[in-house]
Amino acid sequence: MGMLGGVMERYGSYLPMTSSTPIVTLKEGSTPLVRSRVIGPELGCEALYFKLEGSNPTGSFKDRGMCFAVAKAIEGGAQHIICASTGNTSASAAAYGARYGLSTVVVVPAGEIAIGKLAQAMAYGARILAVNGNFDDALRLVREASEQLELALVNSVNPFRIEGQKTGAFEIVDEIGDAPDFLCIPVGNAGNITAYWRGFNEYKDKTDGRVPRMMGFQAAGAAPIVDGAPVLKPRTIASAIKIGNPASWRYAEEARDESDGMIEAVTDDQIMDAYLRLARQEGIFCEPASAASVAGVLRMPELGVSLAGRTVVCILTGNGLKDPSTAEQRASVELEYVEPDFAQFEAVLRSDPKSSL
Ligand code: AN7
């Protein structure tokens, strides 16, 4: 193998594999852990890191669990996979489905999927059903379909998805050499916070028993765990986490309570502020849902949590290119049109009052 393999090759000894589990991989995982240059020092952190899950093969963290869920589906003889999705799960399922010859059906809330994610599902050749409803409606439909029909469900209610996703925690400990003090993570259907918590617990022998405090952040208009009740009409610019009744709700609360953590809300304005700061001050372009983790870390002082001298990891779950429309609407910069003539070109270059040219 030489270089690091994918999740199943790198961490197979921590996964429930059998002698007949095939290796399914697009070389997912082993994503960059990048140290903050501006936000972390401003908050007084010992170190703030961003884990760039948007560097996975389909551009989101979903690939970590999808490879293993697809491996188990193949092991079980499945020929069809199905998922409900706010976009990233569908892109990931479609990719692994295509690669391993499975027919893939993705079920999405009509009109609410970021264009990059829809483009991926189309390119990978999935069948796409658009439900006139929200994500929670779509999840209800696919759960029933997988009970009635010969379809393997690859949402994070599939325990093998969580198993694969827990490897993100292993990578953080392997790279830092310890557990961070805080793990900040966006919460939608709550599979990922569940998976990271499991991963840190399974890796305690490498950290002298230390585990991070789990800090989950929901969008304020789609914050059922914070509100303590399902949200019937979730609303947020962060379409990936526009989920009103998370499947792993109970496990997210367990992660919060067992780790002395928090699950809090961040507003769309706070999310967009973090999204732009990440891009313009850190050089990191993630999708809006991912920026919720950084909007959250920026709120921690006001929530009474001191970051001084602490080590913090924010999971940036998906790539900014997934959602070009939001970038165009909320981060637009006016184009300056120029003629292919150097004198004019130079005059335009010098005309910027903010530049010292
Ligand atoms: C970028 O693709 O639910 O709390 O159907 O795409 O584990 O749900 C996506 C979720 C965070 C939330 N960031 O993770 C789907 C889907 C991004 C996401 C989340 C999602 P969970």
Side-chain angles (χ1 to χ4, degrees), residues 127-256:
R127 186 169 173 201
I128 305 171
L129 304 190
V131 178
N132 185 14
N134 58 31
F135 170 82
D136 306 284
D137 297 314
L139 185 60
R140 230 182 334 97
L141 292 173
V142 300
R143 288 178 104 144
E144 189 160 349
S146 70
E147 284 159 20
Q148 312 271 338
L149 305 167
E150 293 289 305
L151 288 157
L153 183 59
V154 294
N155 278 105
S156 59
V157 295
N158 176 328
F160 303 123
R161 278 278 312 279
I162 305 291
E163 287 294 314
Q165 279 173 216
K166 75 186 178 187
T167 61
F170 299 163
E171 288 177 14
I172 290 169
V173 172
D174 282 339
E175 190 152 347
I176 299 181
D178 199 349
D181 296 304
F182 295 98
L183 193 285
C184 297
I185 189 166
V187 174
N189 215 22
N192 214 22
I193 190 172
T194 301
Y196 270 87
W197 182 234
R198 183 179 303 171
F200 284 118
N201 277 288
E202 289 185 8
Y203 235 45
K204 271 183 179 165
D205 58 325
K206 310 230 178 190
T207 65
D208 285 333
R210 281 183 293 277
V211 290
R213 292 173 68 182
M214 301 294 287
M215 311 298 282
F217 297 99
Q218 300 197 290
I225 301 175
V226 181
D227 301 349
V231 176
L232 294 181
K233 289 203 158 61
R235 260 181 248 278
T236 170
I237 192 167
S239 60
I241 53 173
K242 191 170 172 182
I243 294 175
N245 192 10
S248 297
W249 186 324
R250 186 163 61 87
Y251 303 115
E253 290 185 335
E254 269 175 34
R256 176 195 65 194

Side-chain angles (χ1 to χ4, degrees), residues 87-99:
N88 280 324
T89 300
S90 62
S92 187
Y96 288 90
R99 182 170 172 85

Side-chain angles (χ1 to χ4, degrees), residues 39-40 42-45 182 184 215 217 262 294-308 312:
I39 298 173
E42 182 183 301
L43 290 168
C45 299
F182 295 98
C184 297
M215 311 298 282
F217 297 99
M262 286 183 173
V294 176
V297 87
L298 288 165
R299 279 204 64 202
M300 281 168 62
E302 121 202 12
L303 293 168
V305 183
S306 170
L307 292 166
V312 183

Side-chain angles (χ1 to χ4, degrees), residues 73 77-82 102-105 150-154:
Q79 287 169 346
H80 308 272
I81 58 175
I82 192 168
L102 304 171
S103 84
T104 306
V105 182
E150 293 289 305
L151 288 157
L153 183 59
V154 294

